[in-house]
Amino acid sequence: MIEKQHIIDRFVSYVTIDTESDPKSDSTPSTEKQWDLANKLVDELKAIGMQDVSIDENAYIMATLPSNVDHDVPTIGFVSHFDTSPDFTGANVKPQIIENYDGKDIVLNAEQDIVLSPDYFEDLLLYKGQTLITTDGTTLLGADDKAGITEIVSAMEYLINHPEIKHGKIRVGFTPDEEIGRGAHKFDVEKFGADWAYTMDGSQVGELEYENFNAAGAVVKVKGKIVHPGYAKGKLVNSMYIATEFINSLPRLETPEHTEGYEGFFHLYSIEGEVEETVLEYIIRDHDKEHFEARKEVMLKVTNDINSQYGREVVSIEIKDQYYNMKEKVEPVMHIVDIAEEAMKQLDIKPLIKAIRGGTDGSQLSYMGLPCPNIFAGGHNFHGRYEYVPVESIIKATEVICKIAELTAQKKS
């Protein structure tokens, strides 16, 4: 039985270390403070008895739990990231422990009137009677993905302390900078040496995902011409108005707030504008590769149409692919999903197999030769003040890791 307080103490020790990543930095890790948790994890992996514990110059951590069976077993891996999102501050996290949650509003911060309410966040009602860890309303929590790290370290510790559970060789990997899209960029798949792996980076209990968005980023630059407004007739060109034309030329209902499931979108997430120049930054997402390519073509066509309208290049666009749907790489080895699904069923967890409306290190790793589905880590409302995680979900995810290891090691009849 995995000890509840031990899990809580470990998780809290991780989330109280600020590891926010920085998309404007070119270093790896992108922030120096990520080393604080990285070095702690190295020490902890050694302390629980893991072998071949290493950390490279970019703070990528790897370690091995050797096989305890005498027959050939595939080497499997488990991966999580230790950075937190720059979307909301991760400094001075003060976790709150809510025992035996009663299904009512949770006051995160009375002074600022910040309330975590099931009237708005209905998933809270799934966890009545359980122990929740929340924020104090002023920071994110960091369950994304320090819950995943807690689960992996705790599972390895449990397997080491319970050698009666038979397993093959297991590799674990912890990465920086996942939240800014770079988590797998310098991951040494060959050194990791696993046949396949799982990221522990999902949300609700039971989530099991092997599909994600195809993703691209687009930077749109609109040129204007500044002239004194008192003498501007026929001369001034306001780039912000042209940028508005561009925005309004894209399908208005194909945005994140109007889509769900397998529906893709265009997401305008940044505008910086003056008369002389306006810069729009978009992300483009779609699960279907043909639709993904079509979305990029739509943006190129809008650019060309506006330029034709003005008779010169007033709009330029640069589109860069970011990652692709890992379904293409996982489907040929679907047994790795089947093992995870069976592990959940044996633990009386209902598998929720669905597509990720986002990305994961697993997507990039799959295209780097390491097929890597994603498993729930248990947290909700990531990247903001309303983030929370049930302790029981962390325990269940830890048990899933142990069960996957056990099932993978079973001899085929």
Side-chain angles (χ1 to χ4, degrees), residues 1-5 7-8 11 97-102 124 126-134 147 150-151 200 203-206 347-349 376-380 388-400:
M1 191 72 175
I2 293 165
E3 207 268 308
K4 186 175 181 180
Q5 191 59 49
I7 287 281
I8 293 172
F11 177 73
I97 313 296
I98 313 297
E99 300 275 2
N100 193 24
Y101 173 57
D102 61 7
L124 276 166
L126 297 170
Y127 306 110
K128 283 182 69 171
Q130 297 190 22
T131 299
L132 306 185
I133 304 179
T134 73
T150 301
E151 291 148 10
M200 303 299 297
S203 181
Q204 181 181 341
V205 168
L347 294 166
D348 295 322
I349 298 168
F376 71 91
H380 288 261
Y388 70 92
V389 62
V391 176
E392 287 80 357
S393 297
I394 297 178
I395 292 172
K396 286 179 179 179
T398 304
E399 291 171 345
V400 168

Side-chain angles (χ1 to χ4, degrees), residues 72-132:
D72 289 338
V73 176
T75 298
I76 61 173
F78 296 93
V79 179
S80 289
H81 64 91
F82 50 77
D83 68 312
T84 59
S85 171
D87 290 352
F88 205 71
T89 181
N92 301 310
V93 173
K94 297 179 179 67
Q96 300 189 102
I97 313 296
I98 313 297
E99 300 275 2
N100 193 24
Y101 173 57
D102 61 7
K104 299 178 182 177
D105 287 359
I106 300 170
V107 178
L108 300 178
N109 192 300
E111 186 178 326
Q112 299 182 37
D113 193 27
I114 299 169
V115 178
L116 177 62
S117 174
D119 291 341
Y120 194 85
F121 299 107
E122 295 177 0
D123 286 342
L124 276 166
L125 297 177
L126 297 170
Y127 306 110
K128 283 182 69 171
Q130 297 190 22
T131 299
L132 306 185

